[in-house]
Amino acid sequence: MIDLYFWTTPNGYKPLIFLEEAGLEYRLVPVNISAGDQFKPEFLAISPNNRMPAMVDPAPADGGEPLSLFESGAILWYLAEKSGRFVPADLRGRKTTLEWLMWQMGGLGPMLGQNHHFAHYAPEKLPYAIERYVKETQRLYGVLERRLEGRDFIAGDYSVADMAAYPWCLLWQRQGIALAEFPNIERWLARIEARPAVQRAYAIGKDLNTVPTVTDAAKSMLFGQGRR
Ligand SMILES: N[C@@H](CCC(=O)N[C@@H](CS)C(=O)NCC(=O)O)C(=O)O
């Protein structure tokens, strides 16, 4: 059975949504990043970047040893290839899905993460930093809004590209976004939110953790990491 190393953050929800959507058998291994679980040697052995999510597949397609993965985008792509689900079969469809998955991993996620940081967690309110990341968030929402014009999902059918972007865009209120300005995104969010598997994933997360991840006590550990 697949082990998913998980905590209740946007990056964590991405593979949980996939596993629920695909009906693959899995076990959740909580990695409480507020308590420092991400620094335990057994976790670092599978996730050397001390970040969750991570995953172990005991039965990879090559029939070899159990295989571990870190980075949510890599996990989504791996699961899509393993199951043949949520990624198109044709070259061009795969190319487009991978482009938008990488767009989320390299742009949307990191920029919205900095937005959350400077707007909500930084000890000082730094107007330049707040404005920089809110503007970049607005730019990225604009890109997604245009992409969703005339489309139900980012890359054709519902895919790993949607699963990657949804958990971040769900938090639009925290990001200083006026959703009414992005009607295609608003409809896309509602479409995904209505999916039973997505609802199950968030219910599982809520059962696991009912408190905020970034507490005052956790801040210095989460935001004060230098070279280890
Ligand atoms: N690019 C990574 C980012 C993962 C990431 O930033 N995870 C955060 C929570 S969303 C984490 O585990 N933080 C623990 C820490 O900072 O020590 C991915 O998409 O998997």
Side-chain angles (χ1 to χ4, degrees), residues 6-224:
F6 168 82
W7 200 242
T8 51
T9 75
N11 289 321
Y13 278 111
K14 296 177 201 175
L16 182 57
I17 289 173
F18 190 106
L19 291 166
E20 283 294 326
E21 289 281 9
L24 295 175
E25 284 210 336
Y26 71 93
R27 188 174 67 119
L28 271 193
V29 184
V31 182
N32 183 346
I33 61 171
S34 314
D37 288 355
Q38 69 273 38
F39 303 113
K40 291 183 175 162
E42 60 272 27
F43 181 66
L44 290 172
I46 60 166
S47 186
N49 195 34
N50 68 262
R51 302 276 158 109
M52 69 84 229
M55 197 181 89
V56 174
D57 179 2
D62 64 3
E65 296 283 296
L67 184 151
S68 70
L69 294 103
F70 67 104
E71 285 293 325
S72 58
I75 296 170
L76 285 175
W77 195 256
Y78 176 87
L79 287 171
E81 292 207 312
K82 180 181 174 74
S83 63
R85 307 276 315 274
F86 306 112
V87 65
D90 66 294
L91 175 82
R92 282 156 204 271
R94 291 174 87 78
K95 185 261 342 171
T96 303
T97 307
L98 189 55
E99 272 174 344
W100 286 95
L101 179 59
M102 292 297 138
W103 174 81
Q104 189 291 315
M105 291 296 294
L108 190 78
M111 292 298 123
L112 274 47
Q114 296 304 318
N115 174 325
H116 293 176
H117 181 85
F118 287 106
H120 301 288
Y121 306 137
E124 294 167 67
K125 291 279 170 230
L126 299 169
Y128 177 85
I130 294 171
E131 194 186 342
R132 156 88 182 116
Y133 290 109
V134 169
K135 283 217 161 118
E136 181 60 4
T137 303
Q138 287 167 344
R139 187 189 72 79
L140 289 159
Y141 270 65
V143 172
L144 183 56
E145 176 71 11
R146 283 192 296 282
R147 177 65 195 172
L148 288 169
E149 186 66 44
R151 287 187 178 86
D152 282 351
F153 297 108
I154 295 175
D157 290 339
Y158 178 59
S159 75
V160 288
D162 302 289
M163 293 179 202
Y166 171 80
W168 283 99
C169 293
L170 188 60
L171 304 176
W172 54 271
Q173 274 162 316
R174 288 175 65 69
Q175 297 155 6
I177 286 292
L179 198 58
E181 292 174 12
F182 301 97
N184 293 328
I185 296 181
E186 192 168 14
R187 284 190 288 271
W188 167 80
L189 283 172
R191 220 170 271 130
I192 298 177
E193 193 178 346
R195 297 181 70 88
V198 173
Q199 290 169 12
R200 285 197 302 277
Y202 279 86
I204 289 165
K206 285 199 181 86
D207 276 353
L208 182 72
N209 177 30
T210 52
V211 298
T213 295
V214 184
T215 58
D216 280 344
K219 273 183 186 167
S220 65
M221 180 189 61
L222 288 171
F223 304 137

